[in-house]
Amino acid sequence: MSTIRTTTLRRAGLGAVLAVAGVLAAAGAASAHVTVHPESYAKGATDGLLTFRVPNEDDSVSTTEVQVYLPTDHPVLGVLVRPHDGWTPKVTTTKLKTPVKTDDGTITEAVSEITWTGGKIGAGGFEDFDVAFGQLPDDTDTLTFKALQTYSDGKVVRWIEQAAAGADEPENPAPVVKLTAGDESGATPAAKGSATAAPGSTSEAASGSDSTARGLGIAGLVVGVLGLAAAAFAVVRTRSTRS
């Protein structure tokens, strides 16, 4: 095979490799947001669990502080923070502008901020921070949990942006839980099972579904790219045979 044909084949193979790398890099960037799981609950759900997943998206520094802000206009009641090895949580409460009446009495304060410090999330890693709740509000369709992620070099990434209706996802979206109409008990299957499920099972199920869908999409793109590379190889080889 001549030098020209060999170079052509090498370029085709290199192009395929670069295309695959680009697909994988794009997928990694898209999944590097701070998220909350599960992504939906029933309005007024009780005794559930929210898991905030924090990936470290910087290859040169570590995440050393995570702050999550809970809404106080539609407060989450009865918040408890699960102990997390290496991390120390600080819980801040705020007096509510509008007290919430419950079967146990009127609630005048609610958790407005949780800050985790003392730990470290290295490059390519992530941590799940679990927050239990006693009751979710029933007078809104979404709960937005703005978050700040601080790195060891002092850089702060603010996950606080909210997408407008019909618009593309912003660069730094805030974690959001959708609240749906549930049954009379006010609990979805996820909410009902969260009190007795194994630690992290709710978040693992949600994240597993997301990961599976993402993996299938990536696999399809990779197969397509490899198919193009194979076609290019065949064309070059045919031309070589004819000549």
Side-chain angles (χ1 to χ4, degrees), residues 58-158:
D58 197 306
D59 294 333
S60 59
V61 292
S62 301
T63 296
T64 56
E65 181 177 287
V66 176
Q67 295 170 272
V68 174
Y69 294 88
L70 284 67
T72 55
D73 52 347
H74 302 285
V76 178
L77 305 180
V79 169
L80 295 173
V81 181
R82 186 197 298 273
H84 196 72
D85 290 346
W87 295 86
T88 301
K90 177 184 177 182
V91 179
T92 301
T93 59
T94 297
K95 188 175 181 64
L96 299 176
K97 292 182 179 179
T98 304
V100 179
K101 294 182 178 180
T102 70
D103 294 338
D104 298 322
T106 300
I107 307 298
T108 59
E109 291 186 345
V111 173
S112 58
E113 179 185 346
I114 305 172
T115 302
W116 288 271
T117 57
K120 182 175 69 174
I121 308 174
F126 72 92
E127 291 283 359
D128 283 345
F129 298 91
D130 293 335
V131 175
F133 63 82
Q135 183 175 341
L136 296 180
D138 59 6
D139 57 352
T140 184
D141 295 327
T142 59
L143 290 175
T144 300
F145 299 90
K146 296 181 179 181
L148 301 184
Q149 181 177 11
T150 302
Y151 288 89
S152 54
D153 63 353
K155 180 180 66 176
V156 178
V157 179
R158 301 169 63 84

Side-chain angles (χ1 to χ4, degrees), residues 160-236:
I160 62 173
E161 299 175 356
Q162 301 180 55
D168 293 336
E169 183 180 70
E171 183 177 355
N172 295 314
V176 174
V177 171
K178 295 180 180 179
L179 298 183
T180 61
D183 56 24
E184 293 181 357
S185 64
T188 59
K192 291 178 180 178
S194 61
T196 57
S201 60
T202 302
S203 62
E204 289 170 5
S207 60
S209 175
D210 293 344
S211 299
T212 299
R214 189 181 302 116
L216 290 175
I218 294 173
L221 291 172
V222 171
V223 170
V225 171
L226 293 179
L228 291 175
F233 180 86
V235 170
V236 173

Side-chain angles (χ1 to χ4, degrees), residues 29-79:
S31 63
H33 303 332
V34 172
T35 53
V36 59
H37 304 278
E39 296 179 350
S40 66
Y41 257 114
K43 292 183 178 181
T46 58
D47 300 326
L49 186 73
L50 295 171
T51 299
F52 295 91
R53 174 158 294 182
V54 182
N56 192 88
E57 61 177 5
D58 197 306
D59 294 333
S60 59
V61 292
S62 301
T63 296
T64 56
E65 181 177 287
V66 176
Q67 295 170 272
V68 174
Y69 294 88
L70 284 67
T72 55
D73 52 347
H74 302 285
V76 178
L77 305 180
V79 169

